[in-house]
Amino acid sequence: MTDDRTHDIVVWGATGIAGRFAAEYLTERYAPEDLSLAVGGRSPERLGEVVDDLTDRSDAWDDVPVVVGDATDPESLRAIARDTRVVCTTVGPYTTYGTPLVEACIEAGTDYCDLTGEVTWVREIIDRYHEAAVDAGVRIVHGCGFDSVPADLGTLLAQSFAAETFDTPCQTVRIYLEDGSGSVSGGTLASFGELFDAAATDPLARQTLRDPYSLAPPGERSGVDPGEQRRPRRDSLTSGWTAPSPMAAVNERVVRRSNALLGYPWGREFRCTEVVSTGTGLTGAATAGLVAGGLGAFTAAMSVGPLRSALRRYAFPDPGEGPTREEAEDGHFLIRVLGRGTAADGPFTVEVEFGADRDPGYGATARMLGESAACLATGDVDSPLDGGVLTPASGIGLPLADRLREVGFTASVGEAPDGRR
Ligand SMILES: NC(=O)c1ccc[n+]([C@@H]2O[C@H](COP(=O)([O-])OP(=O)(O)OC[C@H]3O[C@@H](n4cnc5c(N)ncnc54)[C@H](OP(=O)(O)O)[C@@H]3O)[C@@H](O)[C@H]2O)c1
């Protein structure tokens, strides 16, 4: 598989919660002759423990090479990037640690994927590095986990089906977080804290969070879409109640960026909203109120500096703490995407179901990230773009959905049944 590079994929951050699950997944799914894999981090001792664990769990791997560096030492990152085809990184918060690695990958001509949902950092990377990544033919693909693969690929599936079946795209897409159970790690909460720190101190970060088109290319940061739903609302398509989604601020912007990077195949008037489905009737309405109230209270608390510090210190788990392997393999999620469009013979509705029977942020994310890296390493991508700061849909495309189906994900698409048209 390799040309002049020693490794196909380096899992950078393999001593952390998400990185370890990604490395476990890749060594379970692929043999060394399929993909040459290395694990990376800053502590050789901890990496040694990870390798012992990986080789104990897998018959195919007698050893897994280790690469050592530090996110604060750019020369070590350059050496790692030069020696691999893809860096798959879980070293976060990305706002704190991520930028030098992106720079090293572009310099070395190495593809890159990560798990970031730190939208203010992604905006910075777009503005600083998109053109350089295009020129270098390097794919920098952010958001290859639960943020934002289901929303972004779900939309791509709906739009591809609409184009094939009705010869026209969906003008609106609604993404419903329908069901789910999972956990959260200290690393994820630390990244969340970084987002609020950025919003408190940096006017550009605040503007990024206000502007629904802030991840679009420069000069194209405006449009008809008003952005996130802020209140409980009865949904016109499903007749159920919906609440604001905690991930909408990231996922909606990522989907709009996909449309822009692909050259607006879904139109310049395309609208996209992500919400939480809370059910029908009085119970659905009450639950929507509770979800909206809880999210509002959490956001308000995180926006006040001393409260944010207190939450981080006393309530959040520390970085490095998170779900056990058993917990990561437990849990589930289901996302429904409904796309509406108008064909020559009238309106249509496309429905996508995207889900898995694993913790969305860990067991399922390990597969989404691992398969994103595998797509990049093997050239299994369906994208008109050879390089740039990309999204899963624009940088990898439908082969990722095919691979995820093979490992047990639901990723179905078709015309919506009568009740949802
Ligand atoms: N999109 C999603 O669905 C999703 C899901 C899960 C996680 N995430 C994101 O993924 C990131 C990681 O989460 P996590 O829970 O795995 O965090 P974690 O357990 O704290 O892991 C962080 C990793 O970064 C490494 N690291 C820290 N400082 C470093 C440095 N200076 N040089 C090299 N490595 C360094 C740590 O190494 P040590 O072990 O040596 O400390 C560890 O391997 C977070 O940003 C989180 O938000 C996203």
Side-chain angles (χ1 to χ4, degrees):
M1 176 59 55
T2 45
D3 37 37
D4 55 336
R5 312 268 171 142
T6 312
H7 315 294
D8 290 323
I9 298 171
V10 167
V11 179
W12 175 239
T15 55
I17 299 286
R20 199 165 177 138
F21 292 143
E24 281 179 8
Y25 169 70
L26 283 167
T27 47
E28 275 160 25
R29 174 78 179 147
Y30 297 101
E33 49 277 19
D34 303 325
L35 274 178
S36 63
L37 183 75
V39 289
R42 60 180 165 176
S43 159
E45 294 75 31
R46 304 255 290 284
L47 286 166
E49 289 166 24
V50 170
V51 170
D52 287 346
D53 200 35
L54 294 175
T55 50
D56 280 353
R57 289 170 56 77
S58 162
D59 293 336
W61 294 80
D62 297 330
D63 190 21
V64 180
V66 161
V67 297
V68 179
D70 196 295
T72 59
D73 172 7
E75 190 43 52
S76 70
L77 302 177
R78 282 187 207 111
I80 290 166
R82 276 195 299 265
D83 226 11
T84 185
R85 293 161 72 92
V86 178
V87 176
C88 165
T89 172
T90 62
V91 173
Y94 294 90
T95 306
T96 311
Y97 298 121
T99 304
L101 181 60
V102 170
E103 202 168 290
C105 284
I106 294 172
E107 203 180 293
T110 300
D111 287 338
Y112 163 109
C113 56
D114 72 19
L115 285 184
T116 193
E118 293 161 57
V119 71
T120 52
W121 179 70
V122 173
R123 161 73 184 266
E124 184 192 328
I125 296 298
I126 291 167
D127 289 354
R128 284 178 66 181
Y129 296 108
H130 178 72
E131 290 309 325
V134 170
D135 292 345
V138 168
R139 293 169 197 269
I140 303 292
V141 189
H142 294 304
C144 294
F146 190 51
D147 292 306
S148 302
V149 167
D152 200 31
L153 269 194
T155 302
L156 181 66
L157 282 164
Q159 292 291 20
S160 303
F161 181 85
E164 271 167 29
T165 312
F166 303 106
D167 216 18
T168 188
C170 306
Q171 288 133 1
T172 62
V173 156
R174 286 181 74 79
I175 301 157
Y176 301 85
L177 307 189
E178 195 110 327
D179 194 9
S181 102
S183 38
V184 67
S185 66
T188 292
L189 289 168
S191 297
F192 212 56
E194 289 285 334
L195 200 59
F196 281 88
D197 284 346
T201 54
D202 178 1
L204 179 62
R206 281 197 290 282
Q207 197 254 334
T208 298
L209 291 167
R210 266 196 311 270
D211 173 6
Y213 289 89
S214 55
L215 299 189
E220 298 173 35
R221 289 181 177 148
S222 62
V224 296
D225 202 333
E228 296 113 86
Q229 176 174 317
R230 308 257 175 211
R231 296 194 174 77
R233 193 177 287 168
R234 192 148 183 276
D235 191 78
S236 56
L237 277 181
T238 62
S239 305
W241 282 88
T242 59
S245 159
M247 291 153 56
V250 183
N251 290 342
E252 291 180 7
R253 285 172 176 77
V254 168
V255 171
R256 287 183 204 110
R257 179 164 180 78
S258 294
N259 187 31
L261 288 172
L262 292 169
Y264 298 98
W266 315 333
R268 295 221 176 224
E269 311 276 289
F270 169 71
R271 291 170 191 240
C272 150
T273 321
E274 181 180 287
V275 292
V276 177
S277 289
T278 60
T280 52
L282 277 180
T283 313
T287 310
L290 283 174
V291 172
L295 187 61
F298 181 67
T299 306
M302 286 294 285
S303 304
V304 179
L307 271 178
R308 184 164 68 250
S309 303
L311 280 171
R312 281 164 134 173
R313 195 150 172 201
Y314 302 113
F316 290 179
D318 287 330
E321 291 177 20
T324 61
R325 181 180 297 130
E326 290 69 32
E327 287 164 344
E329 293 301 306
D330 214 0
H332 64 277
F333 76 94
L334 178 67
I335 280 176
R336 191 180 307 283
V337 177
L338 293 179
R340 293 273 283 170
T342 307
D345 57 353
F348 63 85
T349 308
V350 176
E351 175 167 327
V352 171
E353 283 189 350
F354 196 101
D357 283 331
R358 287 195 165 76
D359 185 316
Y362 300 92
T365 283
R367 284 155 179 75
M368 292 188 265
L369 180 65
E371 291 301 340
S372 297
C375 284
L376 292 172
T378 58
D380 187 16
V381 298
D382 180 7
S383 160
L385 307 165
D386 293 328
V389 178
L390 308 174
T391 59
S394 64
I396 303 174
L398 294 177
L400 181 54
D402 296 337
R403 282 170 174 257
L404 291 172
R405 279 189 202 103
E406 279 174 26
V407 294
F409 276 58
T410 302
S412 63
V413 58
E415 238 187 299
D418 279 347
R420 282 195 277 275
R421 280 185 207 173

Coordinates of all heavy atoms in Angstrom, one line a residue, residues 316-377:
F316 N -16.7 18.7 35.5 CA -16.3 17.9 34.3 C -15.3 16.9 34.7 O -14.4 17.2 35.5 CB -15.7 18.9 33.3 CG -16.7 19.8 32.6 CD1 -16.3 20.7 31.7 CD2 -18.1 19.8 32.9 CE1 -17.2 21.6 31.1 CE2 -19.0 20.7 32.3 CZ -18.5 21.6 31.4
P317 N -15.3 15.7 34.0 CA -14.2 14.8 34.2 C -12.9 15.4 33.5 O -13.0 16.3 32.7 CB -14.6 13.6 33.4 CG -15.7 14.0 32.5 CD -16.3 15.2 33.1
D318 N -11.7 15.0 34.0 CA -10.5 15.5 33.5 C -10.2 14.9 32.1 O -10.7 13.8 31.8 CB -9.3 15.1 34.4 CG -9.3 15.9 35.7 OD1 -9.8 17.1 35.6 OD2 -8.9 15.4 36.7
P319 N -9.4 15.7 31.2 CA -9.0 15.0 30.0 C -8.3 13.7 30.3 O -7.6 13.6 31.3 CB -7.9 16.1 29.4 CG -8.4 17.4 30.0 CD -9.0 17.1 31.4
G320 N -8.5 12.7 29.4 CA -8.0 11.4 29.7 C -9.0 10.5 30.4 O -8.9 9.3 30.4
E321 N -10.1 11.1 31.0 CA -11.1 10.3 31.6 C -12.3 10.2 30.6 O -12.6 11.1 29.9 CB -11.7 10.9 32.9 CG -10.7 10.9 34.0 CD -11.2 11.7 35.2 OE1 -12.5 11.9 35.3 OE2 -10.4 12.1 36.0
G322 N -12.9 9.0 30.6 CA -14.0 8.8 29.7 C -14.6 7.4 29.7 O -14.3 6.7 30.6
P323 N -15.4 7.0 28.8 CA -16.1 5.7 28.8 C -15.1 4.6 28.7 O -14.0 4.7 28.1 CB -17.0 5.7 27.6 CG -16.5 6.8 26.7 CD -15.8 7.8 27.6
T324 N -15.4 3.5 29.4 CA -14.7 2.2 29.2 C -14.9 1.6 27.8 O -15.9 2.1 27.1 CB -15.1 1.2 30.3 OG1 -16.5 0.9 30.0 CG2 -14.9 1.7 31.7
R325 N -14.2 0.6 27.5 CA -14.4 0.0 26.2 C -15.8 -0.6 26.1 O -16.5 -0.5 25.1 CB -13.3 -1.2 26.0 CG -13.5 -1.9 24.7 CD -12.4 -3.0 24.6 NE -11.1 -2.5 24.6 CZ -10.1 -3.0 25.4 NH1 -10.4 -3.9 26.3 NH2 -8.9 -2.5 25.4
E326 N -16.2 -1.2 27.2 CA -17.6 -1.8 27.2 C -18.6 -0.7 27.0 O -19.6 -0.9 26.3 CB -17.9 -2.5 28.6 CG -17.1 -3.8 28.8 CD -15.5 -3.5 29.0 OE1 -15.2 -2.5 29.6 OE2 -14.7 -4.4 28.5
E327 N -18.5 0.4 27.7 CA -19.4 1.5 27.5 C -19.4 2.1 26.1 O -20.4 2.4 25.5 CB -19.1 2.7 28.5 CG -19.5 2.3 29.9 CD -18.9 3.2 31.0 OE1 -17.9 3.9 30.7 OE2 -19.4 3.1 32.1
A328 N -18.2 2.1 25.5 CA -18.1 2.7 24.1 C -18.8 1.8 23.1 O -19.3 2.2 22.1 CB -16.6 2.9 23.8
E329 N -18.7 0.4 23.4 CA -19.4 -0.5 22.5 C -20.9 -0.6 22.8 O -21.6 -1.3 22.0 CB -18.7 -1.9 22.7 CG -17.3 -1.9 22.2 CD -17.1 -1.5 20.7 OE1 -17.8 -2.1 19.9 OE2 -16.3 -0.6 20.4
D330 N -21.3 0.0 23.8 CA -22.8 0.0 24.2 C -23.4 1.3 23.5 O -22.7 2.0 22.8 CB -22.9 0.1 25.7 CG -24.1 -0.7 26.2 OD1 -24.8 -1.2 25.3 OD2 -24.3 -0.7 27.4
G331 N -24.6 1.6 23.8 CA -25.2 2.8 23.3 C -25.7 2.7 21.9 O -25.5 1.7 21.2
H332 N -26.2 3.8 21.4 CA -26.8 3.8 20.0 C -27.1 5.2 19.6 O -27.2 6.1 20.5 CB -28.0 2.9 19.9 CG -29.2 3.4 20.8 ND1 -29.3 3.2 22.1 CD2 -30.2 4.2 20.4 CE1 -30.4 3.8 22.6 NE2 -30.9 4.4 21.6
F333 N -27.3 5.4 18.3 CA -27.9 6.7 17.9 C -28.6 6.5 16.5 O -28.3 5.5 15.8 CB -26.8 7.8 17.7 CG -26.0 7.6 16.5 CD1 -26.3 8.3 15.3 CD2 -24.8 6.8 16.5 CE1 -25.5 8.2 14.1 CE2 -24.0 6.7 15.4 CZ -24.4 7.4 14.2
L334 N -29.6 7.3 16.3 CA -30.3 7.3 15.0 C -30.6 8.7 14.6 O -31.1 9.5 15.4 CB -31.6 6.5 15.1 CG -32.4 6.6 13.8 CD1 -31.7 5.8 12.7 CD2 -33.8 6.0 14.0
I335 N -30.2 9.1 13.4 CA -30.4 10.4 12.8 C -31.3 10.2 11.6 O -31.0 9.3 10.8 CB -29.1 11.1 12.5 CG1 -28.5 11.6 13.8 CG2 -29.2 12.2 11.5 CD1 -27.2 12.2 13.8
R336 N -32.3 11.0 11.5 CA -33.2 10.9 10.3 C -33.0 12.3 9.6 O -33.0 13.3 10.2 CB -34.7 10.8 10.7 CG -35.6 10.4 9.6 CD -37.0 10.3 10.0 NE -37.2 9.4 11.2 CZ -37.2 8.0 11.1 NH1 -37.0 7.5 9.9 NH2 -37.3 7.3 12.1
V337 N -32.8 12.2 8.3 CA -32.7 13.3 7.5 C -33.9 13.4 6.5 O -34.1 12.4 5.8 CB -31.4 13.3 6.6 CG1 -31.2 14.5 5.7 CG2 -30.2 13.3 7.6
L338 N -34.6 14.4 6.5 CA -35.7 14.6 5.5 C -35.4 15.7 4.6 O -35.1 16.9 5.0 CB -37.0 14.9 6.2 CG -37.6 13.7 7.1 CD1 -38.9 14.2 7.8 CD2 -37.8 12.5 6.3
G339 N -35.3 15.4 3.3 CA -35.0 16.5 2.3 C -36.2 16.7 1.4 O -36.8 15.8 1.0
R340 N -36.5 18.0 1.3 CA -37.7 18.4 0.5 C -37.3 19.1 -0.8 O -36.4 20.0 -0.7 CB -38.6 19.3 1.3 CG -39.3 18.7 2.5 CD -40.5 18.0 2.1 NE -41.6 18.9 2.0 CZ -42.8 18.6 1.5 NH1 -43.1 17.4 1.0 NH2 -43.8 19.5 1.4
G341 N -37.9 18.7 -1.9 CA -37.6 19.4 -3.2 C -38.8 19.4 -4.0 O -39.9 18.9 -3.7
T342 N -38.7 20.1 -5.2 CA -39.8 20.1 -6.1 C -39.3 19.7 -7.5 O -38.4 20.3 -8.1 CB -40.4 21.5 -6.3 OG1 -40.7 22.0 -4.9 CG2 -41.7 21.5 -7.1
A343 N -39.8 18.5 -8.0 CA -39.5 18.0 -9.3 C -40.5 18.5 -10.3 O -41.5 19.2 -10.0 CB -39.5 16.5 -9.3
A344 N -40.3 18.2 -11.6 CA -41.2 18.6 -12.7 C -42.6 18.2 -12.4 O -43.6 19.0 -12.7 CB -40.7 18.0 -14.0
D345 N -42.8 17.0 -11.8 CA -44.2 16.6 -11.5 C -44.7 16.8 -10.1 O -45.6 16.2 -9.6 CB -44.4 15.1 -11.9 CG -43.4 14.2 -11.2 OD1 -42.5 14.8 -10.5 OD2 -43.5 13.0 -11.3
G346 N -44.0 17.7 -9.4 CA -44.5 18.1 -8.0 C -43.5 17.9 -6.9 O -42.3 17.4 -7.2
P347 N -43.9 18.1 -5.7 CA -42.9 18.1 -4.6 C -42.6 16.6 -4.2 O -43.4 15.7 -4.4 CB -43.7 18.8 -3.4 CG -45.1 18.9 -3.8 CD -45.2 18.7 -5.3
F348 N -41.4 16.4 -3.6 CA -41.0 15.1 -3.2 C -40.3 15.3 -1.8 O -39.8 16.4 -1.4 CB -40.1 14.4 -4.2 CG -38.8 15.2 -4.4 CD1 -37.7 14.9 -3.6 CD2 -38.6 16.1 -5.5 CE1 -36.5 15.6 -3.8 CE2 -37.4 16.7 -5.7 CZ -36.3 16.5 -4.8
T349 N -40.2 14.1 -1.1 CA -39.5 14.1 0.2 C -38.6 12.9 0.2 O -39.1 11.8 -0.1 CB -40.4 14.0 1.4 OG1 -41.4 15.1 1.3 CG2 -39.7 14.2 2.7
V350 N -37.3 13.1 0.5 CA -36.4 12.0 0.6 C -36.1 11.8 2.1 O -36.0 12.7 2.8 CB -35.1 12.4 -0.2 CG1 -34.0 11.3 0.0 CG2 -35.3 12.6 -1.6
E351 N -35.9 10.5 2.4 CA -35.6 10.2 3.8 C -34.4 9.4 3.9 O -34.2 8.4 3.2 CB -36.8 9.4 4.4 CG -36.6 9.0 5.8 CD -37.8 8.5 6.5 OE1 -38.9 9.0 6.2 OE2 -37.7 7.6 7.4
V352 N -33.5 9.8 4.9 CA -32.3 9.0 5.2 C -32.3 8.6 6.6 O -32.7 9.4 7.5 CB -31.0 9.9 4.9 CG1 -29.8 9.2 5.4 CG2 -30.9 10.2 3.5
E353 N -32.0 7.4 6.9 CA -31.7 7.0 8.3 C -30.2 6.6 8.4 O -29.7 5.9 7.6 CB -32.5 5.7 8.7 CG -34.0 6.1 8.9 CD -34.8 4.9 9.5 OE1 -34.2 3.8 9.5 OE2 -35.9 5.1 9.9
F354 N -29.6 7.2 9.4 CA -28.2 7.0 9.7 C -28.0 6.7 11.1 O -28.4 7.5 12.0 CB -27.4 8.3 9.3 CG -25.9 8.1 9.1 CD1 -25.4 7.9 7.8 CD2 -25.1 8.0 10.2 CE1 -24.0 7.7 7.6 CE2 -23.7 7.7 10.0 CZ -23.2 7.6 8.7
G355 N -27.4 5.6 11.5 CA -27.3 5.3 12.9 C -26.4 4.1 13.1 O -25.9 3.4 12.1
A356 N -26.1 3.8 14.4 CA -25.3 2.6 14.7 C -25.7 2.2 16.2 O -26.2 3.0 17.0 CB -23.8 3.0 14.6
D357 N -25.4 0.9 16.5 CA -25.6 0.4 17.8 C -24.4 0.5 18.6 O -23.9 -0.5 19.2 CB -26.1 -1.1 17.7 CG -27.5 -1.1 17.3 OD1 -28.3 -0.2 17.6 OD2 -27.9 -2.1 16.6
R358 N -23.8 1.7 18.8 CA -22.7 1.9 19.6 C -22.7 3.3 20.1 O -23.4 4.2 19.6 CB -21.4 1.7 18.8 CG -21.1 0.3 18.5 CD -19.7 0.1 18.1 NE -19.4 -1.4 18.1 CZ -19.9 -2.3 17.3 NH1 -20.6 -1.9 16.3 NH2 -19.6 -3.5 17.4
D359 N -22.0 3.6 21.2 CA -21.9 5.0 21.7 C -21.5 5.9 20.6 O -20.5 5.8 20.0 CB -20.8 5.0 22.8 CG -20.8 6.3 23.5 OD1 -20.8 7.4 22.8 OD2 -20.7 6.4 24.8
P360 N -22.4 6.9 20.3 CA -22.1 7.8 19.2 C -20.8 8.5 19.2 O -20.1 8.5 18.2 CB -23.3 8.8 19.2 CG -24.0 8.7 20.5 CD -23.7 7.3 21.0
G361 N -20.4 9.0 20.4 CA -19.1 9.7 20.5 C -17.9 8.9 20.6 O -16.8 9.4 20.5
Y362 N -18.0 7.6 20.8 CA -16.8 6.8 21.0 C -16.8 5.5 20.2 O -16.0 5.4 19.2 CB -16.7 6.5 22.6 CG -16.5 7.9 23.2 CD1 -17.7 8.5 23.7 CD2 -15.3 8.5 23.2 CE1 -17.6 9.8 24.2 CE2 -15.2 9.8 23.7 CZ -16.3 10.5 24.2 OH -16.2 11.8 24.6
G363 N -17.6 4.5 20.5 CA -17.6 3.3 19.7 C -17.9 3.6 18.2 O -17.2 3.1 17.3
A364 N -19.0 4.4 18.0 CA -19.3 4.7 16.6 C -18.3 5.7 16.0 O -18.0 5.6 14.8 CB -20.8 5.3 16.5
T365 N -17.9 6.6 16.8 CA -16.9 7.6 16.3 C -15.6 7.0 15.9 O -15.0 7.3 14.9 CB -16.7 8.7 17.3 OG1 -17.8 9.6 17.2 CG2 -15.5 9.6 17.1
A366 N -15.2 5.9 16.6 CA -13.9 5.2 16.3 C -14.0 4.6 14.9 O -13.1 4.7 14.1 CB -13.7 4.1 17.3
R367 N -15.2 4.1 14.5 CA -15.4 3.6 13.2 C -15.5 4.7 12.1 O -14.9 4.5 11.0 CB -16.7 2.7 13.2 CG -16.5 1.4 13.9 CD -17.7 0.8 14.5 NE -17.4 -0.5 15.1 CZ -16.8 -0.7 16.3 NH1 -16.5 0.4 17.0 NH2 -16.6 -1.9 16.8
M368 N -16.2 5.8 12.5 CA -16.3 6.9 11.5 C -14.9 7.5 11.2 O -14.6 7.7 10.0 CB -17.3 7.9 12.0 CG -18.7 7.4 12.0 SD -20.0 8.7 12.4 CE -20.2 8.5 14.1
L369 N -14.2 7.7 12.2 CA -12.8 8.3 12.1 C -11.9 7.3 11.4 O -11.1 7.6 10.5 CB -12.3 8.7 13.4 CG -10.9 9.3 13.4 CD1 -10.9 10.6 12.6 CD2 -10.3 9.5 14.8
G370 N -11.9 6.0 11.9 CA -11.0 5.0 11.3 C -11.3 4.8 9.8 O -10.4 4.7 9.0
E371 N -12.6 4.7 9.5 CA -12.9 4.5 8.0 C -12.6 5.7 7.2 O -12.3 5.6 6.0 CB -14.3 4.0 7.9 CG -14.6 2.6 8.4 CD -13.8 1.5 7.7 OE1 -13.3 1.7 6.6 OE2 -13.7 0.4 8.4
S372 N -12.7 6.9 7.8 CA -12.3 8.1 7.1 C -10.9 8.1 6.7 O -10.4 8.4 5.6 CB -12.6 9.4 7.9 OG -14.0 9.5 8.2
A373 N -10.0 7.7 7.7 CA -8.6 7.6 7.5 C -8.3 6.5 6.4 O -7.5 6.7 5.6 CB -7.9 7.3 8.8
A374 N -9.0 5.4 6.5 CA -8.8 4.3 5.6 C -9.2 4.7 4.2 O -8.5 4.4 3.2 CB -9.6 3.0 6.0
C375 N -10.3 5.5 4.0 CA -10.7 6.0 2.7 C -9.5 6.9 2.1 O -9.1 6.7 1.0 CB -11.9 6.9 2.8 SG -13.5 5.9 3.0
L376 N -9.0 7.8 3.0 CA -7.9 8.7 2.5 C -6.7 7.9 2.2 O -6.0 8.1 1.1 CB -7.6 9.7 3.6 CG -8.7 10.7 3.9 CD1 -8.4 11.6 5.1 CD2 -9.0 11.6 2.6
A377 N -6.3 6.9 3.0 CA -5.1 6.2 2.8 C -5.1 5.3 1.5 O -4.1 5.1 0.8 CB -4.8 5.3 4.0

